[in-house]
Amino acid sequence: IGHDIVGMTASVHWKQRLFVAECKRDACTSKDASSTMYSVQMSRGVPHAHKPQKIVRLGKTRPVSHLILSPDGRWLVATSQAKLHVLDLNDTSAGFTKFATESHITSLTFHPHTDPVRFATGETNGKIKIWHCLEQSNRPAPVESSGWEPVSLTTVLHWHAHAVSALQFTPDGAQLLSGGEEGVLVLW
C-alpha cells in the first residue's frame, strides 16, 4: 500500500481479499487530509508481509475512522468525520454514495441479518442512527454534482448525553447495545 493503514475489513464472501483504507504518513491530521480505499487481492502463501497480487483503488474520502463490510459482503461502509461513504461491491462503477450526519461518527456496526441490510452509527452528540439506505426501496437516486448529498431514511435513538463510543447488535439481531462515557450499557 505504501502509506499508513487506518482501516481494514474482510469477509468470507471475498476470498483472499481485504478492503483497506490508508492515509499518507504525517498527513492524516492536516487540514487537507484524506484517505484512499483499496481492494487488495492477496496471494496464498507464506503468512508474513509480502506484496499483494492486485490492488484496485476504490475511492478517496476525508480520513477514515471506521471501515466495515456488510454480513453478506456486498456493501463497504466507511466513516469520516460526519460523513458515511457507502459502496456497492457488486457494482463499483458508480463509486461511493455519501451521506451526511449531524455530528462526527464515533461507532459503526452492521445488523447481522441481510434481509433487509442495515447498519447503525453512533455520534458525538449521543445519537444513534439506524440507516436503511441499503434496502432496495430506500436507496437514493444518483445525485448529479449539485453539491447536495442524498438523504437516507434513518431511525434515530437518543439516550446518551455524550458520544456513543460502542455499538453492537446481538447475534440474533433482536437488540442493539450501546455504550459511552456514561458507563452504562444501553439495551435498545
Side-chain angles (χ1 to χ4, degrees), residues 98-116:
K98 289 187 279 188
F99 298 95
T101 63
E102 299 165 24
S103 64
H104 285 223
I105 298 168
T106 53
S107 51
L108 171 67
T109 188
F110 260 99
H111 190 277
H113 299 155
T114 57
D115 188 20

Side-chain angles (χ1 to χ4, degrees), residues 91-167:
D91 180 13
T92 60
S93 64
F96 283 89
T97 301
K98 289 187 279 188
F99 298 95
T101 63
E102 299 165 24
S103 64
H104 285 223
I105 298 168
T106 53
S107 51
L108 171 67
T109 188
F110 260 99
H111 190 277
H113 299 155
T114 57
D115 188 20
V117 179
R118 57 194 176 275
F119 58 92
T121 56
E123 298 181 15
T124 55
N125 62 6
K127 291 182 180 178
I128 296 167
K129 290 184 181 163
I130 300 174
W131 296 79
H132 305 278
C133 58
L134 305 181
E135 298 169 28
Q136 185 66 40
S137 61
N138 294 326
R139 257 186 240 147
V143 176
E144 297 299 321
S145 58
S146 62
W148 292 90
E149 291 170 345
V151 175
S152 172
L153 179 63
T154 59
T155 301
V156 179
L157 307 171
H158 196 187
W159 176 89
H160 295 276
H162 303 285
V164 179
S165 54
L167 279 175

Side-chain angles (χ1 to χ4, degrees), residues 1-108:
I1 301 294
H3 299 291
D4 295 357
I5 295 172
V6 295
M8 184 176 356
T9 187
S11 168
V12 296
H13 299 283
W14 294 95
K15 302 282 187 218
Q16 301 297 318
R17 187 175 300 183
L18 295 171
F19 296 90
V20 177
E22 61 82 19
C23 188
K24 291 182 180 171
R25 191 175 313 279
D26 300 325
C28 289
T29 57
S30 75
K31 179 183 162 191
D32 301 321
S34 65
S35 287
T36 304
M37 285 170 278
Y38 298 94
S39 167
V40 179
Q41 183 73 39
M42 303 302 292
S43 58
R44 294 183 182 191
V46 195
H48 58 77
H50 61 282
K51 291 195 181 260
Q53 227 177 15
K54 183 178 179 183
I55 298 177
V56 176
R57 184 181 183 274
L58 299 173
K60 192 172 185 176
T61 68
R62 294 271 184 193
V64 168
S65 52
H66 300 89
L67 188 66
I68 192 170
L69 279 167
S70 62
D72 63 0
R74 178 174 177 186
W75 301 97
L76 179 66
V77 177
T79 65
S80 59
Q81 299 172 357
K83 300 241 193 260
L84 283 164
H85 306 272
V86 179
L87 181 65
D88 183 348
L89 293 172
N90 287 348
D91 180 13
T92 60
S93 64
F96 283 89
T97 301
K98 289 187 279 188
F99 298 95
T101 63
E102 299 165 24
S103 64
H104 285 223
I105 298 168
T106 53
S107 51
L108 171 67

